Amino acid sequence: QVQVVDTGGGLVQAGGSLRLSCVASGSIVRINAMGWYRQAPGKQRELVAFITRNGITNYADSVKGRFTISRDNAKNTVYLQMDSLKPDDTAVYYCKADVIPWGSNYQVYDYWGQGTQVTVSS
């Protein structure tokens, strides 16, 4: 069993900052990439940022220069530091971990967090 829990959302004024955290736990052999996605009302879920196990990062154009993704492999944790937040950043943010569970014959599975609400007021 693998669990992914994401936390840290909240209500913030435009220009403010929030830090999201996501931890994966359970029967894990290894975690490859970890990432953050978001879904605003009436819109499709979109990639915000991801980071490989070796620390290579990629960001959506809309958040480049404002958001920073990082991870702690020893803690199976990924973070998303969000600065200069805008009302358009309002969404439910989801963490995804690409996990090799014990007993999977080294097959990679996607595990999602339950989501955390981020609301940015103007």
Side-chain angles (χ1 to χ4, degrees), residues 1-6 22-31 34 73-78 95 97 99-102 111-113:
Q1 290 282 0
V2 174
Q3 299 83 37
V4 174
V5 178
D6 39 36
C22 168
V23 59
S25 62
S27 301
I28 297 171
V29 173
R30 189 178 70 210
I31 302 175
M34 301 183 82
N73 290 334
K75 296 181 179 179
N76 290 341
T77 300
V78 63
C95 171
V99 176
I100 299 175
W102 283 104
Y111 289 88
W112 291 86

Side-chain angles (χ1 to χ4, degrees), residues 11-106:
L11 173 63
V12 64
Q13 288 188 332
S17 298
L18 282 174
R19 189 190 194 210
L20 306 183
S21 299
C22 168
V23 59
S25 62
S27 301
I28 297 171
V29 173
R30 189 178 70 210
I31 302 175
N32 292 340
M34 301 183 82
W36 289 96
Y37 292 72
R38 67 186 181 187
Q39 187 166 17
K43 294 186 177 181
Q44 290 189 331
R45 190 173 298 189
E46 62 176 0
L47 173 68
V48 176
F50 74 81
I51 183 168
T52 68
R53 184 171 182 82
N54 294 328
I56 297 171
T57 59
N58 191 44
Y59 296 90
D61 287 343
S62 59
V63 306
K64 282 180 181 176
R66 301 188 298 120
F67 291 9
T68 303
I69 190 169
S70 60
R71 67 187 285 174
D72 184 334
N73 290 334
K75 296 181 179 179
N76 290 341
T77 300
V78 63
Y79 307 96
L80 186 68
Q81 177 65 41
M82 304 186 295
D83 299 319
S84 303
L85 282 160
K86 305 175 181 179
D88 284 349
D89 295 318
T90 296
V92 178
Y93 283 69
Y94 298 91
C95 171
K96 184 174 78 75
D98 298 344
V99 176
I100 299 175
W102 283 104
S104 69
N105 199 28
Y106 289 90

